[in-house]
Amino acid sequence: MNPSHHKCIIIGSGLSGLVTAYELTKNGHSDFIILEGRDRIGGRICTNEGIDLGATWFQDHHSALSELIDELGVHRFRQFNKGRSIFIYSSMAPAQYFENDPNTPSAFRIGGGSVALIEALRSKVANKILTGKAVLNISLKQDGLISIETSSGTYTCDSVVLAMPPQLVTGIIITPSLSEDIQHALTYTHTWMSNAIKVGINYKKPFWRDKNLSGMMISHISPVIELYDHSDIEDQSYSLMGFVNEGLRDETTENRKKRILTYLSKHLGEKVYQYEKYSEKDWSQDQFTSSEKLKSIYISPSYDNPIWETSIWEDKLILAGAETSTVHGGYMDGAVLSGKTAAQRILKKFI
């Protein structure tokens, strides 16, 4: 047996890649590996000391994700939204306060952070994941095998799943080349999260609640354009988490932090400065998420392009990832659906 040859190789250990692997395992297919360029797994799910700096929320209608969470025994809980929320629409006008309708359920979060879902999937396929394996070239050989050259070793397989942002696929040399239509779709499909800067601030106590504030702040003209209470499922660890205005991207880390804390203290009080930990992640600086084609989009783009279902190399090369799902594309639910679809295509061909 050739240890570098497998029936299937999955490129990317984000949610869609891990779901693909999990579905293959459930259906008796074990001859696969996952190649991951990062030194960690999870892709755009990234939890740092309880702060979800990547994918965070899901809704009632995200049924595929909900079913997976239940199947794996992962816990969920509602986003905290009690109290007054703050809306700032003009630097010349005072902040506006509003209360959420208690009859409207808030979004869900995953207990232990979104990484808990990743860890649950890892436990099912842990011995199949190879990190630090950035893919450089993929080529279909005359004998029908696919050769995959990485930053540290070459592998061959019968089928490959590219479970990664479409724009990053354009950075891989693929031979024979993909059709012009597919290359166009890969190039111009926005990568969810690629332009986001997220901030998380841990506190000993949820001081904002003492003021009957929900922790939610919305403003597109301020240093933080969205902010939310990010306390844990046990309500014993407290934090605020949100999205930073991209206009601060070119600021130094210290200047950006100063502006953010000054802004928050104006509306939440001086206890903002009594934090235990402050963390940020600028996804535009993550080479396995963003690319030179960075584009800022604030309204959810449409991810319903049927081109991702195209058979490539007689379905030996499959495009997957959150952006390739025709249902709830860009969301965790879309990533789950994409992984399930990719696994079904592999199973149909090889089992």
Side-chain angles (χ1 to χ4, degrees), residues 87-90 218-226 245 263 298:
F87 175 60
I88 301 164
Y89 66 92
S90 170
I218 305 295
S219 172
H220 292 294
I221 61 168
S222 304
V224 179
I225 59 176
E226 294 180 35
N245 192 316
Y263 162 71
Y298 298 103

Side-chain angles (χ1 to χ4, degrees), residues 37-341:
R38 295 180 172 92
D39 60 3
R40 67 170 181 85
I41 68 170
R44 286 167 282 179
I45 290 179
C46 177
T47 306
N48 179 21
E49 295 195 22
I51 302 290
D52 284 320
L53 294 174
T56 305
W57 298 279
F58 62 102
Q59 305 283 347
D60 287 307
H61 59 277
H62 291 155
S63 57
L65 176 62
S66 294
E67 290 171 5
L68 178 65
I69 286 173
D70 291 342
E71 184 175 323
L72 294 171
V74 176
H75 300 291
R76 73 181 79 184
F77 66 110
R78 290 286 185 182
Q79 167 68 40
F80 181 88
N81 66 353
K82 296 179 182 178
R84 298 183 302 161
S85 298
I86 302 173
F87 175 60
I88 301 164
Y89 66 92
S90 170
S91 59
M92 305 297 291
Q96 304 295 306
Y97 294 87
F98 64 95
E99 296 221 16
N100 295 293
D101 184 348
N103 296 316
T104 302
S106 58
F108 286 105
R109 287 172 49 207
I110 295 173
S114 298
V115 72
L117 175 57
I118 296 300
E119 291 301 327
L121 289 166
R122 182 217 286 266
S123 70
K124 307 297 183 182
V125 296
N127 62 334
K128 302 289 188 180
I129 305 171
L130 302 177
T131 58
K133 300 285 185 180
V135 173
L136 307 175
N137 300 285
I138 300 174
S139 57
L140 177 63
K141 302 302 183 180
Q142 289 186 347
D143 59 6
L145 295 181
I146 297 173
S147 175
I148 300 176
E149 180 187 347
T150 77
S151 54
S152 57
T154 299
Y155 303 83
T156 61
C157 60
D158 299 305
S159 183
V160 59
V161 176
L162 293 174
M164 56 196 294
Q167 286 188 354
L168 294 190
V169 175
T170 65
I172 299 173
I173 299 174
I174 299 177
T175 309
S177 60
L178 305 179
S179 71
E180 290 186 7
D181 287 345
I182 291 176
Q183 290 188 51
H184 183 274
L186 292 170
T187 300
Y188 292 101
T189 297
H190 175 70
T191 302
W192 171 83
M193 208 71 190
S194 62
N195 59 299
I197 309 172
K198 292 192 76 173
V199 60
I201 315 173
N202 300 80
Y203 292 96
K204 188 174 182 179
K205 297 291 183 181
F207 63 88
W208 53 95
R209 297 184 189 177
D210 296 336
K211 298 183 177 184
N212 191 34
L213 294 174
S214 69
M216 180 189 292
M217 297 176 64
I218 305 295
S219 172
H220 292 294
I221 61 168
S222 304
V224 179
I225 59 176
E226 294 180 35
L227 187 77
Y228 303 94
D229 183 304
H230 201 64
S231 303
D232 66 3
I233 188 172
E234 294 87 6
D235 203 28
Q236 295 179 351
S237 177
Y238 309 102
S239 57
L240 295 167
M241 180 275 287
F243 294 84
V244 177
N245 192 316
E246 287 189 72
L248 301 186
R249 174 165 282 127
D250 295 331
E251 296 270 4
T252 64
T253 301
E254 282 305 309
N255 283 345
R256 185 167 53 245
K257 177 180 176 181
K258 181 180 179 180
R259 290 186 62 178
I260 288 171
L261 292 175
T262 299
Y263 162 71
L264 295 182
S265 68
K266 179 180 178 182
H267 298 285
L268 301 179
E270 291 298 308
K271 288 186 178 180
V272 159
Y273 292 106
Q274 298 175 16
Y275 59 88
E276 295 186 319
K277 182 178 176 59
Y278 178 99
S279 56
E280 288 182 4
K281 182 167 180 60
D282 183 350
W283 286 93
S284 74
Q285 303 304 305
D286 188 320
Q287 65 171 316
F288 295 107
T289 296
S290 195
S291 68
E292 295 178 356
K293 304 177 183 67
L294 178 67
K295 183 178 181 181
S296 299
I297 294 181
Y298 298 103
I299 298 176
S300 296
S302 175
Y303 291 121
D304 57 358
N305 194 337
I307 200 168
W308 309 124
E309 300 173 1
T310 302
S311 176
I312 302 172
W313 301 348
E314 297 181 347
D315 225 27
K316 289 175 177 283
L317 188 153
I318 296 171
L319 299 169
E323 289 82 4
T324 69
S325 177
T326 55
V327 180
H328 301 150
Y331 291 92
M332 286 190 284
D333 193 61
V336 172
L337 287 166
S338 172
K340 285 178 172 288
T341 299

Side-chain angles (χ1 to χ4, degrees), residues 8-12 17-18 20-21 24 32-36 160-161 163:
C8 176
I9 291 180
I10 301 164
I11 299 174
L18 291 174
T20 302
L24 292 178
F32 68 87
I33 58 172
I34 303 174
L35 300 179
E36 169 58 53
V160 59
V161 176

